[in-house]
Short mmCIF file of all heavy atoms in Angstrom, two decimals:
data_model
loop_
_atom_site.label_atom_id
_atom_site.label_comp_id
_atom_site.label_asym_id
_atom_site.label_seq_id
_atom_site.Cartn_x
_atom_site.Cartn_y
_atom_site.Cartn_z
N VAL J 819 108.68 96.78 122.46
CA VAL J 819 108.12 95.67 123.19
C VAL J 819 106.92 95.07 122.46
O VAL J 819 106.75 93.86 122.38
CB VAL J 819 107.75 96.10 124.65
CG1 VAL J 819 107.03 94.95 125.35
CG2 VAL J 819 108.98 96.56 125.38
N ALA J 820 106.09 95.93 121.87
CA ALA J 820 104.92 95.46 121.13
C ALA J 820 105.39 94.64 119.91
O ALA J 820 104.79 93.62 119.54
CB ALA J 820 104.09 96.63 120.65
N LEU J 821 106.49 95.09 119.26
CA LEU J 821 107.05 94.31 118.17
C LEU J 821 107.56 92.96 118.61
O LEU J 821 107.31 91.93 117.98
CB LEU J 821 108.16 95.14 117.50
CG LEU J 821 108.93 94.45 116.32
CD1 LEU J 821 107.99 94.23 115.19
CD2 LEU J 821 110.08 95.35 115.89
N ALA J 822 108.27 92.97 119.74
CA ALA J 822 108.83 91.68 120.28
C ALA J 822 107.67 90.74 120.63
O ALA J 822 107.79 89.55 120.39
CB ALA J 822 109.67 91.96 121.51
N ARG J 823 106.62 91.25 121.20
CA ARG J 823 105.46 90.43 121.57
C ARG J 823 104.83 89.81 120.31
O ARG J 823 104.42 88.56 120.32
CB ARG J 823 104.39 91.24 122.32
CG ARG J 823 103.18 90.41 122.80
CD ARG J 823 102.15 91.29 123.49
NE ARG J 823 101.63 92.35 122.64
CZ ARG J 823 100.82 93.29 123.07
NH1 ARG J 823 100.39 93.30 124.33
NH2 ARG J 823 100.34 94.23 122.25
N ALA J 824 104.73 90.54 119.23
CA ALA J 824 104.17 90.04 117.95
C ALA J 824 105.09 89.00 117.31
O ALA J 824 104.59 88.01 116.74
CB ALA J 824 103.93 91.18 117.02
N LEU J 825 106.39 89.16 117.53
CA LEU J 825 107.33 88.22 116.86
C LEU J 825 107.61 86.98 117.67
O LEU J 825 108.03 85.95 117.10
CB LEU J 825 108.68 88.94 116.63
CG LEU J 825 108.66 90.10 115.55
CD1 LEU J 825 110.00 90.80 115.54
CD2 LEU J 825 108.34 89.49 114.14
N ALA J 826 107.41 87.03 119.00
CA ALA J 826 107.77 85.92 119.89
C ALA J 826 107.15 84.57 119.44
O ALA J 826 107.86 83.53 119.45
CB ALA J 826 107.44 86.23 121.32
N PRO J 827 105.87 84.54 119.08
CA PRO J 827 105.28 83.23 118.74
C PRO J 827 105.71 82.72 117.31
O PRO J 827 105.18 81.73 116.82
CB PRO J 827 103.78 83.46 118.76
CG PRO J 827 103.62 84.70 119.50
CD PRO J 827 104.83 85.54 119.18
N GLN J 828 106.61 83.42 116.62
CA GLN J 828 107.12 83.10 115.33
C GLN J 828 105.92 82.99 114.29
O GLN J 828 105.72 81.94 113.69
CB GLN J 828 107.90 81.75 115.36
CG GLN J 828 109.16 81.86 116.21
CD GLN J 828 109.87 80.57 116.30
OE1 GLN J 828 109.34 79.57 116.70
NE2 GLN J 828 111.15 80.60 115.88
N PRO J 829 105.25 84.13 114.04
CA PRO J 829 104.12 84.14 113.13
C PRO J 829 104.61 84.01 111.67
O PRO J 829 105.78 84.30 111.37
CB PRO J 829 103.52 85.50 113.32
CG PRO J 829 104.67 86.36 113.78
CD PRO J 829 105.50 85.48 114.65
N GLN J 830 103.71 83.55 110.84
CA GLN J 830 104.04 83.47 109.40
C GLN J 830 104.01 84.82 108.74
O GLN J 830 104.74 85.10 107.80
CB GLN J 830 103.03 82.54 108.74
CG GLN J 830 103.15 81.05 109.08
CD GLN J 830 102.15 80.24 108.28
OE1 GLN J 830 100.95 80.33 108.58
NE2 GLN J 830 102.61 79.45 107.39
N VAL J 831 103.14 85.68 109.25
CA VAL J 831 102.92 87.03 108.67
C VAL J 831 102.93 88.06 109.80
O VAL J 831 102.33 87.83 110.83
CB VAL J 831 101.65 87.14 107.82
CG1 VAL J 831 101.42 88.55 107.29
CG2 VAL J 831 101.67 86.15 106.68
N LEU J 832 103.61 89.18 109.60
CA LEU J 832 103.61 90.32 110.57
C LEU J 832 102.87 91.45 109.96
O LEU J 832 103.12 91.87 108.84
CB LEU J 832 105.06 90.69 110.85
CG LEU J 832 105.21 91.94 111.80
CD1 LEU J 832 104.71 91.59 113.22
CD2 LEU J 832 106.72 92.35 111.85
N LEU J 833 101.89 91.98 110.73
CA LEU J 833 101.10 93.10 110.33
C LEU J 833 101.43 94.29 111.24
O LEU J 833 101.39 94.20 112.42
CB LEU J 833 99.61 92.78 110.42
CG LEU J 833 99.15 91.52 109.67
CD1 LEU J 833 97.64 91.27 109.86
CD2 LEU J 833 99.45 91.63 108.18
N LEU J 834 101.68 95.42 110.62
CA LEU J 834 102.05 96.64 111.34
C LEU J 834 101.03 97.76 110.96
O LEU J 834 101.01 98.24 109.80
CB LEU J 834 103.45 97.13 110.97
CG LEU J 834 104.59 96.06 111.16
CD1 LEU J 834 105.87 96.49 110.48
CD2 LEU J 834 104.78 95.86 112.67
N ASP J 835 100.20 98.18 111.92
CA ASP J 835 99.19 99.16 111.65
C ASP J 835 99.65 100.55 112.18
O ASP J 835 99.42 100.89 113.33
CB ASP J 835 97.86 98.75 112.37
CG ASP J 835 96.68 99.62 111.99
OD1 ASP J 835 96.87 100.46 111.04
OD2 ASP J 835 95.65 99.56 112.66
N GLU J 836 100.28 101.33 111.26
CA GLU J 836 100.80 102.64 111.59
C GLU J 836 101.49 102.64 112.92
O GLU J 836 101.15 103.50 113.82
CB GLU J 836 99.68 103.67 111.55
CG GLU J 836 98.94 103.73 110.19
CD GLU J 836 98.29 105.06 109.89
OE1 GLU J 836 98.99 106.10 110.10
OE2 GLU J 836 97.15 105.10 109.44
N PRO J 837 102.46 101.77 113.17
CA PRO J 837 103.10 101.64 114.45
C PRO J 837 103.94 102.82 114.91
O PRO J 837 104.32 102.93 116.10
CB PRO J 837 103.96 100.39 114.31
CG PRO J 837 104.33 100.40 112.86
CD PRO J 837 103.12 100.93 112.14
N LEU J 838 104.28 103.74 113.97
CA LEU J 838 105.19 104.82 114.34
C LEU J 838 104.52 106.23 114.43
O LEU J 838 105.12 107.18 114.78
CB LEU J 838 106.30 104.91 113.23
CG LEU J 838 107.03 103.64 112.95
CD1 LEU J 838 108.04 103.86 111.79
CD2 LEU J 838 107.71 103.12 114.15
N SER J 839 103.21 106.25 114.17
CA SER J 839 102.51 107.54 114.09
C SER J 839 102.43 108.28 115.40
O SER J 839 102.24 109.50 115.47
CB SER J 839 101.11 107.36 113.47
OG SER J 839 100.35 106.51 114.28
N ALA J 840 102.55 107.57 116.53
CA ALA J 840 102.39 108.24 117.84
C ALA J 840 103.78 108.66 118.39
O ALA J 840 103.81 109.26 119.48
CB ALA J 840 101.77 107.25 118.85
N LEU J 841 104.86 108.50 117.62
CA LEU J 841 106.16 108.82 118.08
C LEU J 841 106.63 110.15 117.47
O LEU J 841 106.19 110.55 116.42
CB LEU J 841 107.14 107.68 117.74
CG LEU J 841 106.74 106.29 118.26
CD1 LEU J 841 107.71 105.26 117.65
CD2 LEU J 841 106.79 106.26 119.73
N ASP J 842 107.67 110.78 118.12
CA ASP J 842 108.18 112.02 117.50
C ASP J 842 109.06 111.70 116.35
O ASP J 842 109.49 110.52 116.18
CB ASP J 842 108.88 112.88 118.58
CG ASP J 842 110.12 112.19 119.14
OD1 ASP J 842 110.99 111.79 118.36
OD2 ASP J 842 110.26 112.13 120.36
N ALA J 843 109.36 112.69 115.56
CA ALA J 843 110.04 112.49 114.26
C ALA J 843 111.35 111.74 114.33
O ALA J 843 111.67 110.84 113.59
CB ALA J 843 110.19 113.83 113.57
N LYS J 844 112.21 112.16 115.30
CA LYS J 844 113.53 111.54 115.41
C LYS J 844 113.42 110.07 115.79
O LYS J 844 114.19 109.22 115.21
CB LYS J 844 114.37 112.29 116.43
CG LYS J 844 115.86 111.86 116.50
CD LYS J 844 116.62 112.78 117.39
CE LYS J 844 118.12 112.38 117.40
NZ LYS J 844 118.90 113.26 118.28
N ILE J 845 112.59 109.74 116.72
CA ILE J 845 112.41 108.31 117.12
C ILE J 845 111.80 107.51 115.97
O ILE J 845 112.18 106.37 115.79
CB ILE J 845 111.58 108.24 118.39
CG1 ILE J 845 112.26 108.88 119.56
CG2 ILE J 845 111.19 106.79 118.73
CD1 ILE J 845 111.48 108.94 120.84
N ARG J 846 110.92 108.17 115.22
CA ARG J 846 110.28 107.41 114.13
C ARG J 846 111.36 106.96 113.10
O ARG J 846 111.34 105.84 112.65
CB ARG J 846 109.26 108.34 113.40
CG ARG J 846 107.99 108.53 114.13
CD ARG J 846 107.08 109.48 113.44
NE ARG J 846 106.50 108.86 112.25
CZ ARG J 846 105.38 109.31 111.68
NH1 ARG J 846 104.70 110.30 112.22
NH2 ARG J 846 104.91 108.72 110.62
N VAL J 847 112.24 107.86 112.77
CA VAL J 847 113.31 107.51 111.77
C VAL J 847 114.15 106.38 112.33
O VAL J 847 114.44 105.41 111.59
CB VAL J 847 114.15 108.75 111.46
CG1 VAL J 847 115.35 108.35 110.57
CG2 VAL J 847 113.31 109.82 110.73
N SER J 848 114.56 106.48 113.59
CA SER J 848 115.40 105.46 114.18
C SER J 848 114.69 104.09 114.25
O SER J 848 115.21 103.03 113.87
CB SER J 848 115.80 105.84 115.60
OG SER J 848 116.50 104.83 116.23
N LEU J 849 113.39 104.11 114.65
CA LEU J 849 112.64 102.86 114.85
C LEU J 849 112.31 102.21 113.56
O LEU J 849 112.29 101.02 113.44
CB LEU J 849 111.42 103.12 115.71
CG LEU J 849 110.72 101.91 116.27
CD1 LEU J 849 111.68 101.03 117.07
CD2 LEU J 849 109.57 102.33 117.23
N ARG J 850 112.01 103.06 112.51
CA ARG J 850 111.64 102.39 111.24
C ARG J 850 112.87 101.64 110.70
O ARG J 850 112.70 100.60 110.04
CB ARG J 850 111.12 103.46 110.25
CG ARG J 850 112.14 104.33 109.55
CD ARG J 850 111.46 105.42 108.76
NE ARG J 850 112.42 106.19 108.00
CZ ARG J 850 112.09 107.41 107.55
NH1 ARG J 850 110.96 107.94 107.76
NH2 ARG J 850 113.02 108.08 106.90
N ASP J 851 114.09 102.20 110.91
CA ASP J 851 115.30 101.50 110.46
C ASP J 851 115.45 100.15 111.25
O ASP J 851 115.83 99.14 110.69
CB ASP J 851 116.52 102.36 110.63
CG ASP J 851 116.53 103.54 109.68
OD1 ASP J 851 115.83 103.53 108.70
OD2 ASP J 851 117.30 104.51 109.97
N GLU J 852 115.13 100.24 112.54
CA GLU J 852 115.26 99.01 113.38
C GLU J 852 114.26 97.94 112.96
O GLU J 852 114.57 96.78 112.85
CB GLU J 852 115.07 99.37 114.83
CG GLU J 852 116.20 100.21 115.42
CD GLU J 852 115.97 100.51 116.89
OE1 GLU J 852 115.35 99.69 117.56
OE2 GLU J 852 116.41 101.61 117.32
N ILE J 853 113.01 98.41 112.71
CA ILE J 853 111.97 97.42 112.30
C ILE J 853 112.35 96.76 110.98
O ILE J 853 112.25 95.53 110.83
CB ILE J 853 110.61 98.17 112.11
CG1 ILE J 853 110.05 98.56 113.51
CG2 ILE J 853 109.58 97.27 111.38
CD1 ILE J 853 108.78 99.42 113.46
N ARG J 854 112.86 97.55 110.02
CA ARG J 854 113.23 96.98 108.72
C ARG J 854 114.40 96.01 108.90
O ARG J 854 114.42 94.94 108.23
CB ARG J 854 113.61 98.11 107.78
CG ARG J 854 113.88 97.62 106.32
CD ARG J 854 112.68 96.92 105.74
NE ARG J 854 112.81 96.73 104.28
CZ ARG J 854 112.85 95.58 103.70
NH1 ARG J 854 112.77 94.44 104.34
NH2 ARG J 854 112.94 95.53 102.34
N ALA J 855 115.38 96.36 109.77
CA ALA J 855 116.52 95.44 109.97
C ALA J 855 116.11 94.18 110.62
O ALA J 855 116.55 93.08 110.23
CB ALA J 855 117.54 96.20 110.86
N ILE J 856 115.21 94.21 111.59
CA ILE J 856 114.73 93.01 112.27
C ILE J 856 113.92 92.15 111.29
O ILE J 856 114.10 90.95 111.21
CB ILE J 856 113.85 93.37 113.52
CG1 ILE J 856 114.75 94.01 114.57
CG2 ILE J 856 113.10 92.17 114.07
CD1 ILE J 856 113.99 94.59 115.76
N GLN J 857 113.02 92.81 110.51
CA GLN J 857 112.25 92.08 109.51
C GLN J 857 113.13 91.33 108.52
O GLN J 857 112.87 90.17 108.20
CB GLN J 857 111.31 93.03 108.83
CG GLN J 857 110.32 92.38 107.83
CD GLN J 857 110.91 92.30 106.43
OE1 GLN J 857 111.86 93.00 106.05
NE2 GLN J 857 110.37 91.34 105.65
N SER J 858 114.14 92.02 108.06
CA SER J 858 115.09 91.41 107.08
C SER J 858 115.83 90.25 107.70
O SER J 858 116.09 89.21 107.09
CB SER J 858 116.09 92.49 106.55
OG SER J 858 115.37 93.50 105.87
N ARG J 859 116.31 90.45 108.97
CA ARG J 859 117.02 89.40 109.64
C ARG J 859 116.20 88.16 109.84
O ARG J 859 116.67 87.02 109.67
CB ARG J 859 117.53 89.96 110.98
CG ARG J 859 118.60 89.07 111.69
CD ARG J 859 118.99 89.70 113.00
NE ARG J 859 119.13 91.15 112.94
CZ ARG J 859 119.18 91.92 114.00
NH1 ARG J 859 118.99 91.41 115.21
NH2 ARG J 859 119.31 93.20 113.85
N LEU J 860 114.95 88.29 110.19
CA LEU J 860 114.08 87.17 110.44
C LEU J 860 113.44 86.62 109.16
O LEU J 860 112.93 85.49 109.15
CB LEU J 860 112.96 87.56 111.42
CG LEU J 860 113.40 88.04 112.85
CD1 LEU J 860 112.17 88.39 113.66
CD2 LEU J 860 114.17 86.91 113.51
N GLY J 861 113.42 87.44 108.07
CA GLY J 861 112.83 86.99 106.86
C GLY J 861 111.37 86.77 106.94
O GLY J 861 110.79 85.90 106.24
N ILE J 862 110.64 87.58 107.75
CA ILE J 862 109.24 87.40 107.94
C ILE J 862 108.41 88.23 106.97
O ILE J 862 108.74 89.43 106.70
CB ILE J 862 108.80 87.70 109.39
CG1 ILE J 862 107.40 87.37 109.65
CG2 ILE J 862 109.10 89.15 109.76
CD1 ILE J 862 106.98 87.46 111.09
N THR J 863 107.39 87.65 106.36
CA THR J 863 106.51 88.37 105.44
C THR J 863 105.76 89.45 106.18
O THR J 863 105.10 89.17 107.17
CB THR J 863 105.53 87.40 104.78
OG1 THR J 863 106.31 86.31 104.18
CG2 THR J 863 104.71 88.06 103.73
#
Side-chain angles (χ1 to χ4, degrees):
V819 174
L821 177 63
R823 183 180 60 184
L825 291 172
Q828 298 178 303
Q830 289 181 293
V831 177
L832 177 65
L833 306 178
L834 303 168
D835 187 12
E836 302 206 47
L838 307 178
S839 60
L841 304 173
D842 66 52
K844 188 173 182 179
I845 294 175
R846 286 178 71 158
V847 172
S848 173
L849 195 52
R850 79 188 185 198
D851 292 341
E852 292 180 31
I853 289 174
R854 186 59 166 117
I856 290 171
Q857 184 270 340
S858 298
R859 193 181 318 163
L860 298 179
I862 186 170
T863 306

